[in-house]
Amino acid sequence: MAGTLDSPAPPSYRQGIPGLGKAEGQMFLQTVAEEDATGAIAEVYRKEKAGAGFVPEAARCLSTRPDMPPLFDAFFDGIKANFSLSGREWCLITFVAAAHLRSTYCSQVYSKRLLALGESKETLLAIQRNYRTAGLSDKDMAMLAYAEKVTVAADQVTHTDIDRLRAFGFTDRNIFDIALCAAFRCMLSKLVDATGAVPEPAFHDSDEAFRAAMTVGRSLARG
């Protein structure tokens, strides 16, 4: 019986993804395979496939607990739909947070997204090394300093950090959204790594050196 939210019976699971080999296709935990998905999970998978051309492991790993994919999908859509900053700022915050979290998955995905937004590989490598010396604007650096602090030491955020952001024109809603974006990445990156998900080849850059630099934690290939 396929995994579904509206069935009282436990779902069946298969870990293989058609077209992927063992290294890319098996996570640590059992998940609902695309061909087994029905109901709400199938809807989430169809949406993911429409966007990426396949169902990413970052989405599929949630199906170990079958009620999670639609809940997570609604939560993520709600965050993004009402995000008060730009898509570029979302990606920059995520990219810097991912480096601190040693999230290879998110570093590979968001470096690709930033490249699509017009950032150069040289800039991304510089941001990864130290965003403060990467040629970003003072406003971007203030945003990323706050996002970095939320990611690694949120208990050390002070009124001074908030006042600095306000001085650059960030509203309280903007500041909340910076914190929300960074905190959301902490949750998702750790969950993805904990379940053994790895980024699919579609997220890998063809430049070997750049791809290696974006591999900040788990290897791209599972043994």
Side-chain angles (χ1 to χ4, degrees):
M1 183 177 180
T4 176
L5 295 178
D6 53 6
S7 170
S12 63
Y13 299 93
R14 283 187 288 165
Q15 289 186 318
I17 300 177
L20 293 184
K22 180 178 179 182
E24 294 82 18
Q26 294 186 356
M27 286 178 275
F28 300 152
L29 305 179
Q30 292 179 325
T31 63
V32 177
E34 181 183 349
E35 64 269 28
D36 289 339
T38 62
I41 293 178
E43 287 299 318
V44 172
Y45 281 11
R46 277 193 286 271
K47 181 178 175 182
E48 291 288 341
K49 192 169 185 177
F54 55 91
V55 181
E57 289 194 1
R60 196 162 57 89
C61 72
L62 297 167
S63 68
T64 297
R65 185 178 140 174
D67 61 322
M68 281 303 299
L71 292 174
F72 181 89
D73 189 58
F75 180 58
F76 182 67
D77 282 353
I79 292 173
K80 290 297 295 291
N82 296 295
F83 192 64
S84 61
L85 300 168
S86 70
R88 173 183 175 272
E89 288 165 316
W90 174 278
C91 290
L92 280 174
I93 293 165
T94 301
F95 182 65
V96 167
H100 284 289
L101 295 165
R102 295 175 51 81
S103 173
T104 292
Y105 205 120
C106 295
S107 288
Q108 297 285 341
V109 170
Y110 278 87
S111 62
K112 195 172 187 71
R113 291 184 181 175
L114 283 164
L115 290 171
L117 289 172
E119 300 291 346
S120 68
K121 290 181 179 179
E122 291 73 20
T123 296
L124 296 185
L125 290 168
I127 291 171
Q128 189 185 66
R129 285 191 298 270
N130 185 351
Y131 63 84
R132 294 174 178 84
T133 59
L136 298 175
S137 69
D138 289 343
K139 185 174 183 179
D140 278 346
M141 285 192 286
M143 175 186 74
L144 293 177
Y146 179 58
E148 179 182 53
K149 202 167 189 179
V150 170
T151 302
V152 302
D155 62 302
Q156 296 178 28
V157 171
T158 67
H159 278 296
T160 300
D161 298 306
I162 305 305
D163 289 342
R164 185 163 186 264
L165 289 165
R166 288 175 177 153
F168 279 104
F170 289 105
T171 66
D172 281 19
R173 178 166 178 172
N174 295 153
I175 296 167
F176 177 85
D177 278 350
I178 296 167
L180 180 60
C181 182
F184 175 81
R185 191 54 42 185
C186 290
M187 184 275 287
L188 182 58
S189 291
K190 289 181 180 295
L191 185 59
V192 166
D193 269 340
T195 56
V198 297
E200 288 77 6
F203 296 128
H204 302 179
D205 194 86
S206 59
D207 181 333
E208 183 178 356
F210 185 77
R211 185 170 67 247
M214 296 302 111
T215 305
V216 295
R218 186 181 299 283
S219 170
L220 291 173
R222 272 193 299 265

